[in-house]
Amino acid sequence: MEPYISVMNVSHVYSNGVTAIKDVNLDIYDNEVVAILGSNGSGKTTLVKHFNGLLKPTKGKITIGGLSTKKERISKLSSLVGYVFQNPNHQTFLPKVSQELEYGCKNLNMSEEEIEERVNKAIELFELEDYLDENPFDLNSSQRKEVAMASIMAISPQVIVLDEPTTGQDHKGCERILHLVRMFRQHGHIVVLITHDMNLIGELNCRTVVMHQSEKVADDQADVVFADKGIMELAGLQPPQITSLTNKLPFLNNNKTYLTVESVLQSIKCNHKEEVKIATRT
Amino acid sequence: MLNNRKAIEVYGLNFQYPDTKESALKDINFSVDYGEILGIIGPTGAGKSTLAMCINGLVPQVIQGDLVGEVFVKGMDVNEGNVAKMSEHVGFVFQEPENQLSQMTVEEEVAFGIGNLGVPREQMEGRIKDALKQVGLTGFEKRSPLALSGGQQQRLAIASVLAMNPTILIMDEPTSMLDPKGKNEVYDVLKSLKERGMTGIIIDHEVERIAEYCDKVLVLSEGQIQMFGPPNEVFSKIEHLHQLTMHAPQVTECLHQFNEQFNKDVKLSTNVEESARFLENAYKSI
Amino acid sequence: MNSLYMPKDSFIHNLDPRTKMIFVAFVVLSSFILNDPALQLLFLASLFPLVVAAKLVKPYLISMQFLLLFAVLIMTVHGIYNPIGVTPVFEIFGGLTFKYESMVYASVMSFRILVIGTAAVLFVMSTHPSDMASALVKWKVPHSFAFILLSTFQIIPIIAREAKIVMEAQQARCLDVKGSLIQRVKNLIPIFAPLFIITFMKVHQLSYVLECRAFSREGTKTSLRDTKIGSKDYAFLLGIVVFLTFEIYLQIFLSGSFNLTTNGLLTYSLIGTWAVFALMIAKFVIKRVQGFVGGMADA
């Protein structure tokens, strides 16, 4: 299968001479959820900004759906890779939610019918029917974040990039983001998450790329990455609290890394049944 | 001044923003002892920040609205003086590190607050040095604040406040914009301040941290106090938390679900080691 | 990095900001007293040693490029079209004639921009903004005004960075920032509206922070940095007075008795600005071509 996003040996050096990413290789396939982890300044944002052409590689090549980012316009690439910025105030500015939703499609000069169709899809996906006439600035911060997300989704890109989606969100907000990520995936999108939220990645147990000092240092399923103490320490990451609890429970299957409360209980149940079986047999 | 007064006392506090139908804070009563760290948690829009800003008088003096009730800090009525006067007693650290910076270098940033208090130049150097040491930024004096990492900027904001020698430090979601490293840096500072006897209030969504670092937890929802007490006590009322769309630390959730699924009554804990012990003992009995 | 200030150890840097402010005032005054292109050119040349003394030659020349753009525009357009001109000096492309009077007028104006620009650059690059603020306070300027001035320096790089983020955030919404002129004008709203809101929010937040740092407290304030007027400053000020006296003497008693402003001088200074301008364009084009060729090679 052809990867949808293909990053081939890419380096980026900023005009001030700072190397932000160095020799990164990364293939992302259809229907994948990929989390990109790393401390601030590790190069994760720089890497992702290459996906919609905001940055062009200094060395190497990136293709999105077969198109090289070097030759394509940012507006074209942005219609394939939707990038939701961390702070919705950087993206939203129109007086009505409905106008926000139409904005991206209008920039692409789509026909009225086309715009309506795409916007309606986004409205349905985000359940925004009752908010269309609201001013985004009258909404609370998590709602505004969702409007920003919906306005990118209305362009119906194949890939959706979420930059720190759970920052500053309460528990309910985080659950909502989790739900949305799963739904995007169900609808056939690729989701790229730039995040520090280990609990979110734990719940998704998705593919996890770790950036450290401009280089990709890990790329595997979350439970594998989280179990690698060397990598975690190097990148200054701590697994979810539940993981450290399970490390202290000898009766659990310790070859496995637990990332969620549910998986722990599941395992306890299975273990228990096994033991009961063994006990009754003997 | 009476000696038996607590560091912070709040009586019958109600607050309503102009042009809103509902009160942001409803009948708030609580107190914080000297040397205690209080964690305030609650869903977005619960009024956590508003409550925190009542403690130093920002609400209602700068952010205006209708306030009923009384707030005392070290026995002083907060709203008899003004925010500037209160700043010698209550330090306030905000969420966004960068928005708290206004000076060209780290040392000037720390000097700004004490300069406003009229501290003579001869004493400034010592206080700056001391404050920077407390947050681990010694050696950064001549750097530009904008060239620091988020965690360093937030520590600088704490140092700027500490230089003013407050008894109480209030931090409103100080780590939500930071990466894990920055979060650890800030919480390490909080821990060492606690060891030195600082009284504090911290607002954060990360209940695991709140449970670990705080002596008391206050749960706020829709402007009302829902729970108030030591972390173990508050987080044991896990069903109540769930009703408020909140959750307890993961280990507590785990113990709770264990109880549910195996019909047990294991004591809930917020501590990893303790939870592991409880769970292991309980496992033997199923 | 977060302002135009360039820390260096030099005579100029060590002067009190107040002395330097007086110096700027003196240069502005002089540029009006010396109402003659030749004298202004001489004055500009005499300021250059100060730039050298401040060890700021390179950053100075870079910032002067922008002012030179104005100079080229003024000297060319006014030289040809300003109606006060009567005496033709030289002709280009058949029909377009530069006239003496208009060239004098345009040169005075352009050189004045360059002279004042030099002083301003010298002042800004050699003065720590905090020192400037505390010097102003010593002149009884209110604290809040000095603070606003200082925080403006601080917020400019922040706004510049935010502007870049907003630009990227809008491009991520398929906004084409490289469109036609009309398109670019239209783009001002999606870029400036969020930028304005964000800046407003930042300033608003800062006002709370200031409140919590006792900024509105009454009574005396102190500051970490101190500025003192010393012997160096007196010497410099004396130099300014001497120079000023000389200028006035030159203008009042000697004006008319000699004329340095010849056709040649005007023509050469015009051609000189053109040459520098052409050089700048050439440099720009070469850089672009290099980038393009480099891009081709990679692809």
mmCIF file of all heavy atoms in Angstrom, chain B residues 45-84:
data_model
loop_
_atom_site.group_PDB
_atom_site.id
_atom_site.type_symbol
_atom_site.label_atom_id
_atom_site.label_comp_id
_atom_site.label_asym_id
_atom_site.label_seq_id
_atom_site.Cartn_x
_atom_site.Cartn_y
_atom_site.Cartn_z
ATOM 1 N N GLY B 45 -15.522 26.846 33.355
ATOM 2 C CA GLY B 45 -16.665 27.707 33.614
ATOM 3 C C GLY B 45 -17.263 27.544 34.988
ATOM 4 O O GLY B 45 -18.333 28.082 35.274
ATOM 5 N N ALA B 46 -16.584 26.806 35.872
ATOM 6 C CA ALA B 46 -17.128 26.589 37.214
ATOM 7 C C ALA B 46 -16.925 27.817 38.102
ATOM 8 O O ALA B 46 -17.570 27.933 39.140
ATOM 9 C CB ALA B 46 -16.472 25.371 37.852
ATOM 10 N N GLY B 47 -16.029 28.707 37.716
ATOM 11 C CA GLY B 47 -15.755 29.898 38.524
ATOM 12 C C GLY B 47 -14.456 29.809 39.300
ATOM 13 O O GLY B 47 -14.236 30.593 40.218
ATOM 14 N N LYS B 48 -13.587 28.876 38.918
ATOM 15 C CA LYS B 48 -12.333 28.673 39.646
ATOM 16 C C LYS B 48 -11.456 29.929 39.621
ATOM 17 O O LYS B 48 -10.986 30.383 40.654
ATOM 18 C CB LYS B 48 -11.536 27.502 39.040
ATOM 19 C CG LYS B 48 -12.281 26.181 39.019
ATOM 20 C CD LYS B 48 -11.400 25.055 38.503
ATOM 21 C CE LYS B 48 -10.974 25.174 37.055
ATOM 22 N NZ LYS B 48 -12.044 25.038 36.066
ATOM 23 N N SER B 49 -11.255 30.478 38.408
ATOM 24 C CA SER B 49 -10.408 31.665 38.287
ATOM 25 C C SER B 49 -11.017 32.852 39.011
ATOM 26 O O SER B 49 -10.323 33.615 39.670
ATOM 27 C CB SER B 49 -10.200 32.029 36.820
ATOM 28 O OG SER B 49 -9.531 30.992 36.168
ATOM 29 N N THR B 50 -12.325 32.996 38.874
ATOM 30 C CA THR B 50 -13.018 34.102 39.539
ATOM 31 C C THR B 50 -12.783 34.018 41.049
ATOM 32 O O THR B 50 -12.448 35.018 41.689
ATOM 33 C CB THR B 50 -14.529 34.041 39.246
ATOM 34 O OG1 THR B 50 -14.715 33.931 37.844
ATOM 35 C CG2 THR B 50 -15.245 35.268 39.764
ATOM 36 N N LEU B 51 -12.914 32.818 41.587
ATOM 37 C CA LEU B 51 -12.706 32.633 43.021
ATOM 38 C C LEU B 51 -11.267 32.990 43.407
ATOM 39 O O LEU B 51 -11.034 33.712 44.375
ATOM 40 C CB LEU B 51 -13.026 31.182 43.414
ATOM 41 C CG LEU B 51 -12.784 30.798 44.869
ATOM 42 C CD1 LEU B 51 -13.575 31.700 45.812
ATOM 43 C CD2 LEU B 51 -13.151 29.343 45.123
ATOM 44 N N ALA B 52 -10.315 32.510 42.605
ATOM 45 C CA ALA B 52 -8.917 32.797 42.911
ATOM 46 C C ALA B 52 -8.656 34.298 42.906
ATOM 47 O O ALA B 52 -7.932 34.828 43.753
ATOM 48 C CB ALA B 52 -8.009 32.094 41.906
ATOM 49 N N MET B 53 -9.274 34.998 41.945
ATOM 50 C CA MET B 53 -9.035 36.436 41.838
ATOM 51 C C MET B 53 -9.744 37.238 42.919
ATOM 52 O O MET B 53 -9.426 38.406 43.136
ATOM 53 C CB MET B 53 -9.411 36.924 40.435
ATOM 54 C CG MET B 53 -8.446 36.388 39.382
ATOM 55 S SD MET B 53 -8.613 37.144 37.764
ATOM 56 C CE MET B 53 -10.114 36.381 37.188
ATOM 57 N N CYS B 54 -10.700 36.602 43.603
ATOM 58 C CA CYS B 54 -11.330 37.268 44.751
ATOM 59 C C CYS B 54 -10.359 37.346 45.924
ATOM 60 O O CYS B 54 -10.484 38.208 46.791
ATOM 61 C CB CYS B 54 -12.577 36.508 45.202
ATOM 62 S SG CYS B 54 -13.983 36.725 44.119
ATOM 63 N N ILE B 55 -9.410 36.411 45.971
ATOM 64 C CA ILE B 55 -8.527 36.331 47.132
ATOM 65 C C ILE B 55 -7.570 37.520 47.196
ATOM 66 O O ILE B 55 -7.152 37.928 48.267
ATOM 67 C CB ILE B 55 -7.706 35.003 47.133
ATOM 68 C CG1 ILE B 55 -8.607 33.795 46.909
ATOM 69 C CG2 ILE B 55 -6.895 34.842 48.419
ATOM 70 C CD1 ILE B 55 -9.594 33.502 47.997
ATOM 71 N N ASN B 56 -7.177 38.063 46.010
ATOM 72 C CA ASN B 56 -6.309 39.240 46.086
ATOM 73 C C ASN B 56 -7.023 40.516 45.673
ATOM 74 O O ASN B 56 -6.401 41.563 45.516
ATOM 75 C CB ASN B 56 -5.028 39.030 45.275
ATOM 76 C CG ASN B 56 -5.267 39.095 43.789
ATOM 77 O OD1 ASN B 56 -6.392 38.918 43.330
ATOM 78 N ND2 ASN B 56 -4.217 39.358 43.041
ATOM 79 N N GLY B 57 -8.328 40.413 45.451
ATOM 80 C CA GLY B 57 -9.101 41.621 45.180
ATOM 81 C C GLY B 57 -9.174 42.026 43.715
ATOM 82 O O GLY B 57 -9.797 43.025 43.379
ATOM 83 N N LEU B 58 -8.516 41.262 42.821
ATOM 84 C CA LEU B 58 -8.642 41.583 41.381
ATOM 85 C C LEU B 58 -10.124 41.608 41.013
ATOM 86 O O LEU B 58 -10.569 42.460 40.256
ATOM 87 C CB LEU B 58 -7.941 40.520 40.546
ATOM 88 C CG LEU B 58 -6.536 40.808 40.017
ATOM 89 C CD1 LEU B 58 -6.061 39.646 39.172
ATOM 90 C CD2 LEU B 58 -6.459 42.087 39.228
ATOM 91 N N VAL B 59 -10.852 40.614 41.542
ATOM 92 C CA VAL B 59 -12.312 40.624 41.506
ATOM 93 C C VAL B 59 -12.731 41.118 42.886
ATOM 94 O O VAL B 59 -12.281 40.552 43.883
ATOM 95 C CB VAL B 59 -12.875 39.206 41.254
ATOM 96 C CG1 VAL B 59 -14.372 39.190 41.456
ATOM 97 C CG2 VAL B 59 -12.490 38.690 39.874
ATOM 98 N N PRO B 60 -13.466 42.146 43.062
ATOM 99 C CA PRO B 60 -14.204 42.960 42.088
ATOM 100 C C PRO B 60 -13.524 44.293 41.764
ATOM 101 O O PRO B 60 -14.132 45.112 41.090
ATOM 102 C CB PRO B 60 -15.497 43.229 42.853
ATOM 103 C CG PRO B 60 -15.019 43.399 44.269
ATOM 104 C CD PRO B 60 -13.817 42.513 44.424
ATOM 105 N N GLN B 61 -12.280 44.502 42.249
ATOM 106 C CA GLN B 61 -11.728 45.850 42.082
ATOM 107 C C GLN B 61 -11.328 46.174 40.649
ATOM 108 O O GLN B 61 -11.521 47.300 40.176
ATOM 109 C CB GLN B 61 -10.523 46.037 43.001
ATOM 110 C CG GLN B 61 -10.895 45.977 44.468
ATOM 111 C CD GLN B 61 -9.665 45.929 45.344
ATOM 112 O OE1 GLN B 61 -8.605 46.407 44.985
ATOM 113 N NE2 GLN B 61 -9.797 45.329 46.504
ATOM 114 N N VAL B 62 -10.745 45.205 39.959
ATOM 115 C CA VAL B 62 -10.315 45.455 38.578
ATOM 116 C C VAL B 62 -11.301 44.825 37.608
ATOM 117 O O VAL B 62 -11.736 45.441 36.642
ATOM 118 C CB VAL B 62 -8.891 44.893 38.347
ATOM 119 C CG1 VAL B 62 -8.462 45.134 36.912
ATOM 120 C CG2 VAL B 62 -7.906 45.518 39.323
ATOM 121 N N ILE B 63 -11.670 43.578 37.879
ATOM 122 C CA ILE B 63 -12.682 42.898 37.076
ATOM 123 C C ILE B 63 -13.984 43.089 37.836
ATOM 124 O O ILE B 63 -14.205 42.469 38.874
ATOM 125 C CB ILE B 63 -12.336 41.408 36.923
ATOM 126 C CG1 ILE B 63 -10.961 41.278 36.279
ATOM 127 C CG2 ILE B 63 -13.405 40.687 36.123
ATOM 128 C CD1 ILE B 63 -10.381 39.893 36.323
ATOM 129 N N GLN B 64 -14.813 43.978 37.338
ATOM 130 C CA GLN B 64 -15.906 44.434 38.174
ATOM 131 C C GLN B 64 -17.169 43.599 38.083
ATOM 132 O O GLN B 64 -17.366 42.855 37.127
ATOM 133 C CB GLN B 64 -16.178 45.897 37.881
ATOM 134 C CG GLN B 64 -15.005 46.715 38.407
ATOM 135 C CD GLN B 64 -15.069 48.167 38.073
ATOM 136 O OE1 GLN B 64 -15.840 48.584 37.203
ATOM 137 N NE2 GLN B 64 -14.258 48.958 38.740
ATOM 138 N N GLY B 65 -17.992 43.723 39.104
ATOM 139 C CA GLY B 65 -19.251 42.999 39.194
ATOM 140 C C GLY B 65 -19.808 43.174 40.599
ATOM 141 O O GLY B 65 -19.262 43.925 41.403
ATOM 142 N N ASP B 66 -20.903 42.467 40.868
ATOM 143 C CA ASP B 66 -21.527 42.566 42.193
ATOM 144 C C ASP B 66 -20.961 41.532 43.130
ATOM 145 O O ASP B 66 -21.105 40.339 42.893
ATOM 146 C CB ASP B 66 -23.040 42.347 42.077
ATOM 147 C CG ASP B 66 -23.703 43.546 41.452
ATOM 148 O OD1 ASP B 66 -23.131 44.654 41.589
ATOM 149 O OD2 ASP B 66 -24.757 43.374 40.810
ATOM 150 N N LEU B 67 -20.332 41.983 44.208
ATOM 151 C CA LEU B 67 -19.769 41.040 45.168
ATOM 152 C C LEU B 67 -20.455 41.205 46.515
ATOM 153 O O LEU B 67 -20.633 42.320 47.008
ATOM 154 C CB LEU B 67 -18.260 41.268 45.298
ATOM 155 C CG LEU B 67 -17.529 40.287 46.232
ATOM 156 C CD1 LEU B 67 -16.312 39.718 45.542
ATOM 157 C CD2 LEU B 67 -17.120 40.952 47.534
ATOM 158 N N VAL B 68 -20.850 40.074 47.088
ATOM 159 C CA VAL B 68 -21.402 40.052 48.430
ATOM 160 C C VAL B 68 -20.534 39.094 49.239
ATOM 161 O O VAL B 68 -20.060 38.093 48.696
ATOM 162 C CB VAL B 68 -22.874 39.563 48.420
ATOM 163 C CG1 VAL B 68 -23.470 39.597 49.821
ATOM 164 C CG2 VAL B 68 -23.714 40.387 47.466
ATOM 165 N N GLY B 69 -20.343 39.375 50.505
ATOM 166 C CA GLY B 69 -19.543 38.476 51.334
ATOM 167 C C GLY B 69 -18.199 39.089 51.658
ATOM 168 O O GLY B 69 -17.904 40.225 51.264
ATOM 169 N N GLU B 70 -17.386 38.318 52.378
ATOM 170 C CA GLU B 70 -16.121 38.873 52.841
ATOM 171 C C GLU B 70 -14.963 37.931 52.562
ATOM 172 O O GLU B 70 -15.102 36.710 52.643
ATOM 173 C CB GLU B 70 -16.190 39.124 54.344
ATOM 174 C CG GLU B 70 -17.030 40.331 54.700
ATOM 175 C CD GLU B 70 -17.275 40.399 56.186
ATOM 176 O OE1 GLU B 70 -17.768 39.396 56.758
ATOM 177 O OE2 GLU B 70 -16.960 41.443 56.774
ATOM 178 N N VAL B 71 -13.828 38.533 52.228
ATOM 179 C CA VAL B 71 -12.600 37.765 52.023
ATOM 180 C C VAL B 71 -11.529 38.364 52.920
ATOM 181 O O VAL B 71 -11.265 39.573 52.858
ATOM 182 C CB VAL B 71 -12.143 37.825 50.552
ATOM 183 C CG1 VAL B 71 -10.881 36.995 50.356
ATOM 184 C CG2 VAL B 71 -13.236 37.348 49.617
ATOM 185 N N PHE B 72 -10.944 37.534 53.780
ATOM 186 C CA PHE B 72 -9.864 38.006 54.644
ATOM 187 C C PHE B 72 -8.569 37.271 54.313
ATOM 188 O O PHE B 72 -8.571 36.048 54.145
ATOM 189 C CB PHE B 72 -10.190 37.752 56.122
ATOM 190 C CG PHE B 72 -11.351 38.560 56.610
ATOM 191 C CD1 PHE B 72 -12.626 37.995 56.684
ATOM 192 C CD2 PHE B 72 -11.179 39.881 57.005
ATOM 193 C CE1 PHE B 72 -13.700 38.734 57.145
ATOM 194 C CE2 PHE B 72 -12.258 40.630 57.462
ATOM 195 C CZ PHE B 72 -13.529 40.054 57.531
ATOM 196 N N VAL B 73 -7.496 38.025 54.201
ATOM 197 C CA VAL B 73 -6.183 37.427 54.035
ATOM 198 C C VAL B 73 -5.342 37.863 55.217
ATOM 199 O O VAL B 73 -5.219 39.060 55.482
ATOM 200 C CB VAL B 73 -5.544 37.874 52.703
ATOM 201 C CG1 VAL B 73 -4.060 37.579 52.687
ATOM 202 C CG2 VAL B 73 -6.230 37.183 51.535
ATOM 203 N N LYS B 74 -4.809 36.934 55.962
ATOM 204 C CA LYS B 74 -4.052 37.220 57.181
ATOM 205 C C LYS B 74 -4.844 38.155 58.105
ATOM 206 O O LYS B 74 -4.282 39.061 58.710
ATOM 207 C CB LYS B 74 -2.707 37.860 56.830
ATOM 208 C CG LYS B 74 -1.764 36.922 56.086
ATOM 209 C CD LYS B 74 -0.694 37.662 55.317
ATOM 210 C CE LYS B 74 0.434 38.123 56.210
ATOM 211 N NZ LYS B 74 1.476 38.812 55.417
ATOM 212 N N GLY B 75 -6.138 37.972 58.130
ATOM 213 C CA GLY B 75 -6.971 38.787 58.994
ATOM 214 C C GLY B 75 -7.345 40.146 58.438
ATOM 215 O O GLY B 75 -8.079 40.899 59.064
ATOM 216 N N MET B 76 -6.834 40.487 57.224
ATOM 217 C CA MET B 76 -7.151 41.792 56.645
ATOM 218 C C MET B 76 -8.275 41.642 55.633
ATOM 219 O O MET B 76 -8.267 40.701 54.831
ATOM 220 C CB MET B 76 -5.933 42.356 55.914
ATOM 221 C CG MET B 76 -4.769 42.698 56.808
ATOM 222 S SD MET B 76 -3.354 43.172 55.817
ATOM 223 C CE MET B 76 -2.774 41.582 55.279
ATOM 224 N N ASP B 77 -9.197 42.569 55.640
ATOM 225 C CA ASP B 77 -10.265 42.564 54.651
ATOM 226 C C ASP B 77 -9.663 42.981 53.309
ATOM 227 O O ASP B 77 -9.182 44.103 53.156
ATOM 228 C CB ASP B 77 -11.370 43.543 55.075
ATOM 229 C CG ASP B 77 -12.581 43.458 54.156
ATOM 230 O OD1 ASP B 77 -12.415 42.979 53.012
ATOM 231 O OD2 ASP B 77 -13.673 43.873 54.572
ATOM 232 N N VAL B 78 -9.697 42.067 52.350
ATOM 233 C CA VAL B 78 -9.051 42.299 51.060
ATOM 234 C C VAL B 78 -9.589 43.550 50.372
ATOM 235 O O VAL B 78 -8.852 44.323 49.770
ATOM 236 C CB VAL B 78 -9.217 41.062 50.152
ATOM 237 C CG1 VAL B 78 -8.790 41.361 48.735
ATOM 238 C CG2 VAL B 78 -8.436 39.894 50.727
ATOM 239 N N ASN B 79 -10.894 43.754 50.483
ATOM 240 C CA ASN B 79 -11.478 44.852 49.730
ATOM 241 C C ASN B 79 -11.480 46.188 50.465
ATOM 242 O O ASN B 79 -12.032 47.163 49.987
ATOM 243 C CB ASN B 79 -12.875 44.460 49.263
ATOM 244 C CG ASN B 79 -12.790 43.333 48.258
ATOM 245 O OD1 ASN B 79 -11.969 43.383 47.345
ATOM 246 N ND2 ASN B 79 -13.584 42.299 48.458
ATOM 247 N N GLU B 80 -10.825 46.206 51.613
ATOM 248 C CA GLU B 80 -10.628 47.503 52.268
ATOM 249 C C GLU B 80 -9.429 48.206 51.657
ATOM 250 O O GLU B 80 -9.389 49.426 51.556
ATOM 251 C CB GLU B 80 -10.417 47.313 53.771
ATOM 252 C CG GLU B 80 -11.642 47.723 54.563
ATOM 253 C CD GLU B 80 -11.512 47.391 56.026
ATOM 254 O OE1 GLU B 80 -10.360 47.341 56.509
ATOM 255 O OE2 GLU B 80 -12.550 47.164 56.662
ATOM 256 N N GLY B 81 -8.444 47.429 51.277
ATOM 257 C CA GLY B 81 -7.276 48.012 50.615
ATOM 258 C C GLY B 81 -7.472 47.943 49.112
ATOM 259 O O GLY B 81 -8.582 48.027 48.615
ATOM 260 N N ASN B 82 -6.382 47.809 48.353
ATOM 261 C CA ASN B 82 -6.517 47.584 46.928
ATOM 262 C C ASN B 82 -5.564 46.481 46.497
ATOM 263 O O ASN B 82 -4.774 45.980 47.297
ATOM 264 C CB ASN B 82 -6.274 48.871 46.134
ATOM 265 C CG ASN B 82 -4.933 49.483 46.473
ATOM 266 O OD1 ASN B 82 -3.957 48.767 46.720
ATOM 267 N ND2 ASN B 82 -4.867 50.792 46.475
ATOM 268 N N VAL B 83 -5.657 46.097 45.215
ATOM 269 C CA VAL B 83 -4.867 44.969 44.722
ATOM 270 C C VAL B 83 -3.379 45.245 44.909
ATOM 271 O O VAL B 83 -2.617 44.372 45.321
ATOM 272 C CB VAL B 83 -5.180 44.693 43.238
ATOM 273 C CG1 VAL B 83 -4.385 43.499 42.740
ATOM 274 C CG2 VAL B 83 -6.660 44.443 43.051
ATOM 275 N N ALA B 84 -2.969 46.478 44.609
ATOM 276 C CA ALA B 84 -1.547 46.815 44.725
ATOM 277 C C ALA B 84 -1.066 46.604 46.148
ATOM 278 O O ALA B 84 0.022 46.083 46.384
ATOM 279 C CB ALA B 84 -1.334 48.262 44.294
#
